[in-house]
Amino acid sequence: MTREEEIANRLLDVEERIAGAAHRAGRKREEIELIVVTKNFPQTDAQILYRLGIRAFGENRDQEGALKSEQLPGDIAWHFQGQIQGRKIKSIASWADSVHSLDSLDHARKFASVGESRVQNFFIQVNLEPERADRGGVRAEDLESLVEAVKMEAEIFPIGLMTVAPNGLEPERAFAQMSAIHKRVLNSFPTMTALSMGMSGDFEAAIAAGATHLRIGSSILGSRELPA
Ligand SMILES: *Cc1c(COP(=O)(O)O)cnc(C)c1O
């Protein structure tokens, strides 16, 4: 089997599982966007995915995303989902169409001050395990004040929320928490309809809980040789 056949088969399998989970949840497949996470996979894999029709790619690192986006066709939406470093913001804004991991006013201000930013969509990342501040993301209780400040002071209007299910928590429980947080935030900010959650190990649970953006890598591309 060629690498292209392998990826095509895995992609088909993931697509079927997404459709099945959407159906079981009484949701439309079109409400759910699949972002294929190409981090740590070679350019050639991204090209295969492009030939297979994928137009949304996720990356965690600025340098890797910058390089891949330069070498692939221009009609791809690039999603940055890694932890943001202030000094990388100008560069991230030069290639990313969406940023899923915004979690501070300081970073929002820096994105806002980039002259020619490509970023169209921001998600606010929520940390569901506040005892682990190193994970990135804002605590649920600080969400509304952060969104308010980001809107007022950086004039950035986030389209929704993002999270990564904590390791120690069942995905169903984590996503139920997130769904409740999302509903609460929608009361104050009704345009923040997007919900980016669900990875290879838990995307069906995420769909059941209302995810609109899935970030899936290894189910489609296989296991990574390098750590994330
Ligand atoms: C790596 C990563 C993913 C994709 O993970 P897989 O388990 O390979 O599907 C999604 N979101 C974030 C934030 C990641 O770091």
Side-chain angles (χ1 to χ4, degrees), residues 42-181:
Q43 198 70 253
T44 47
D45 283 354
Q47 271 150 5
I48 288 172
L49 286 162
Y50 185 85
R51 283 200 294 279
L52 294 170
I54 297 297
R55 295 293 183 272
F57 291 74
E59 288 287 336
N60 279 43
R61 279 196 296 257
D62 171 50
Q63 229 185 344
E64 193 178 343
L67 203 69
K68 283 204 184 102
S69 64
E70 207 175 273
Q71 295 174 358
L72 278 141
D75 60 339
I76 291 171
W78 290 93
H79 295 257
F80 181 81
Q81 53 175 42
Q83 280 199 38
I84 297 167
Q85 289 171 281
R87 64 195 167 84
K88 297 283 175 70
I89 283 177
K90 191 157 184 268
S91 175
I92 294 167
S94 74
W95 60 269
D97 300 277
S98 292
V99 170
H100 289 241
S101 43
L102 189 64
D103 63 1
S104 82
L105 176 59
D106 178 45
H107 288 165
R109 282 204 187 99
K110 289 200 171 89
F111 272 108
S113 71
V114 174
E116 295 207 349
S117 174
R118 178 163 162 171
V119 185
Q120 301 277 334
N121 299 316
F122 287 93
F123 298 71
I124 304 290
Q125 183 174 354
V126 181
N127 181 0
L128 293 176
E129 46 181 351
E131 64 281 9
R132 293 206 47 194
D134 58 308
R135 292 299 296 268
V138 63
R139 301 153 68 105
E141 68 245 48
D142 299 330
L143 259 173
E144 279 88 348
S145 55
L146 176 63
V147 172
E148 195 59 47
V150 161
K151 290 173 77 161
M152 296 294 291
E153 294 181 42
E155 292 189 24
I156 282 176
F157 301 86
I159 65 161
L161 303 176
M162 179 275 227
T163 201
V164 176
N167 278 329
L169 196 60
E170 280 171 46
E172 287 78 9
R173 293 196 50 197
F175 295 145
Q177 275 180 29
M178 196 57 199
S179 175
I181 293 165

